[in-house]
Amino acid sequence: MQRYALACSHQPRSVSSIVSTFLPCLNAGHACNRRAAAVSKSPGQPLEMEEVEVAPPRAHEVRIRILCTSLCHTDITFWRMKDFPALYPSILGHEAVGVVESVGDHVQEVAVGDTVVPVFLAQCGECADCLSARSNICSKLPARAGTGMPRDGTTRFSLVATGEPVHNFLSVSSFAEYTVVDVAHVVKVDPALPPEKACLLSCGVSTGVGAAWKVAAVEAGSTVAVFGLGTVGLAVAQGSKMRGAKRIVGVDLNPDKFEIGKRLGITDFVNPNDTGEKTVSEVITEMTGGGADYCFECVGSAAVMADAFKSSRTGWGKTIILGADGNATPISISSSDIKRGRSVVGSFLGGIKPKDDIPVLAQKYLDKELALDEFITHQMGFDEINRAFELLAQGKSLRCIIWMDGAKENGLGA
């Protein structure tokens, strides 16, 4: 299979332009059960291509034909993990876009042929959290890593060769040609949105932009420090710029991140290796005249979280934790700093409510208010997925779009 060119070198196509070519399969409904999947069988080892049985959707579930998926650092974290909540064998992946192939009973908000993005965070629309503007963490169907479907705890995947069950991941499992997702985890999007752009909105970009807009509510004229310039951190920068921040400091060990960062809103760059005898927090405090109004931790390191907190301004500085620390390491911060007005808050998915906010972000892209192209550094076919893991683990990519064969054959990514 050929290696796809960088995102900027091909003309994007809408989902609606390709769905018609496989509508016969969609209309066949439950006939499409056996499909390819990239299965994780042991910690840190290459994924193995397997034929899996993808069971039909049960009540409140949707079976989705994945058009393309992308790789997130959370996938890397769980791929390396030896103990629970990691489970083996499993199908990782949680950032994707696809088309509804079939639906179970009691599914009314989407229908066969609809373009959807699956999201790891549910929005049931009924619980106290979903009904409140103060939370985006559904209490009826809480986020889970690998313990089965949200409502009954069972999996819809099994290996064709042996019949062995295959665990799903974050209620999505997008490293498969087909997946089954609870309708509470499905967001319908405009089919005019290019699939590779829609894919980005199911996790990383939404998390960063949402954190700036909804969690921090960055004010015009404020100063921002972003720790970690991966996809989430760069999306924070873009969201902060959209909110009118006057100075956005990016902190990263990779100097190559500054160029793309500048295009998305970063005004200053700090490399922790180049601060001499000063700490990063001391440098940022000097740069901003007392500390940043808002600090975002996008790495997943307890040490970096503490550094971000120390970089915030006394009196009103706010630190937002977005990075995923697989070890759940405690953060050490001074109680006296808390009493002096500094605060720290965490966030899943940047505080956004998936069904409410992802369509808004999609429209902002279509209206040319939100940049997504910059985040796509590589595109490749499904059978090259292990190469995508290598690129992200080595810090050589932001988002790698992985196309399923059906989408590729219809001209996407060429």
Side-chain angles (χ1 to χ4, degrees):
M1 181 181 292
Q2 72 178 48
R3 174 72 176 274
Y4 290 109
L6 293 181
C8 59
S9 65
H10 81 275
Q11 296 297 316
R13 293 176 56 192
S14 67
V15 175
S16 57
S17 69
I18 63 172
V19 168
S20 60
T21 62
F22 56 81
L23 272 177
C25 184
L26 296 181
N27 293 330
H30 297 169
C32 307
N33 284 358
R34 293 188 173 188
R35 292 291 165 177
V39 180
S40 178
K41 294 186 177 181
S42 57
Q45 296 303 305
L47 307 187
E48 297 182 24
M49 284 294 176
E50 293 277 2
E51 187 179 22
V52 296
E53 185 84 16
V54 185
R58 298 183 186 178
H60 306 287
E61 295 175 358
V62 178
R63 190 159 62 178
I64 301 169
R65 174 170 177 161
I66 299 295
L67 296 177
C68 61
T69 184
S70 55
L71 191 61
C72 170
H73 275 287
T74 301
D75 297 308
I76 295 281
T77 298
F78 277 86
W79 169 65
R80 291 171 171 165
M81 201 175 290
K82 296 180 180 180
D83 301 312
F84 186 84
L87 297 170
Y88 300 94
S90 66
I91 298 173
L92 300 173
H94 64 284
E95 193 171 271
V97 63
V99 177
V100 175
E101 176 266 345
S102 56
V103 301
D105 293 337
H106 311 302
V107 173
Q108 298 179 337
E109 63 183 271
V110 296
V112 171
D114 283 346
T115 304
V116 295
V117 293
V119 186
F120 77 90
L121 205 60
Q123 185 179 348
C124 74
E126 301 171 350
C127 69
D129 291 83
C130 286
L131 295 175
S132 171
R134 294 176 294 179
S135 174
N136 70 329
I137 300 177
C138 179
S139 50
K140 180 179 178 180
L141 301 170
R144 54 176 64 201
T147 50
M149 296 297 290
R151 297 178 197 259
D152 65 12
T154 61
T155 180
R156 300 292 170 267
F157 299 108
S158 60
L159 296 176
V160 169
T162 64
E164 179 183 5
V166 180
H167 300 285
N168 68 346
F169 176 67
L170 287 178
S171 300
V172 175
S173 289
S174 61
F175 294 164
E177 291 180 319
Y178 277 59
T179 189
V180 178
V181 180
D182 191 283
V183 70
H185 290 265
V186 173
V187 179
K188 184 177 177 179
V189 295
D190 189 335
L193 191 67
E196 69 274 23
K197 309 305 189 304
C199 180
L200 300 179
L201 297 179
S202 63
C203 183
V205 172
S206 294
T207 297
V209 174
W213 280 73
K214 303 197 72 172
V215 183
V218 170
E219 297 175 323
S222 60
T223 57
V224 171
V226 184
F227 290 74
L229 299 181
T231 295
V232 172
L234 291 169
V236 166
Q238 181 174 195
S240 299
K241 180 182 179 182
M242 293 168 72
R243 293 280 294 185
K246 70 176 181 181
R247 193 169 193 179
I248 304 172
V249 182
V251 182
D252 202 285
L253 294 169
N254 184 352
D256 295 337
K257 297 289 183 70
F258 189 33
E259 285 305 312
I260 185 173
K262 285 194 293 186
R263 297 194 292 271
L264 292 169
I266 297 292
T267 59
D268 302 89
F269 183 75
V270 174
N271 187 329
N273 289 333
D274 298 334
T275 59
E277 296 181 357
K278 296 181 180 179
T279 65
V280 170
S281 60
E282 289 172 340
V283 171
I284 291 177
T285 298
E286 290 179 5
M287 291 175 67
T288 57
D293 300 315
Y294 304 97
C295 292
F296 296 84
E297 196 282 341
C298 309
V299 177
S301 161
V304 177
M305 294 174 191
D307 227 9
F309 180 78
K310 293 175 183 176
S311 302
S312 65
R313 186 180 186 87
T314 297
W316 62 74
K318 188 173 186 178
T319 300
I320 298 91
I321 305 299
L322 300 174
D325 177 10
N327 297 318
T329 308
I331 310 171
S332 178
I333 57 179
S334 169
S335 60
S336 64
D337 287 333
I338 295 290
K339 289 193 291 183
R340 288 183 172 87
R342 287 171 165 169
S343 63
V344 59
V345 62
S347 174
F348 264 154
L349 202 62
I352 72 166
K353 290 181 180 289
K355 294 178 187 289
D356 297 341
D357 297 326
I358 287 178
V360 173
L361 293 176
Q363 189 59 49
K364 285 187 178 296
Y365 171 78
L366 293 173
D367 293 340
K368 303 187 185 304
E369 297 176 19
L370 178 68
L372 295 176
D373 302 61
E374 296 281 2
F375 295 94
I376 302 174
T377 54
H378 299 78
Q379 301 194 54
M380 58 188 62
F382 190 27
D383 65 352
E384 294 182 275
I385 190 169
N386 286 308
R387 173 63 176 154
F389 270 77
E390 292 173 5
L391 289 168
L392 188 60
Q394 294 168 5
K396 296 180 179 179
S397 73
L398 289 175
R399 280 299 187 264
C400 177
I401 300 297
I402 300 163
W403 292 98
M404 301 299 165
D405 287 345
K408 175 185 71 67
E409 289 166 0
N410 284 287
L412 290 166

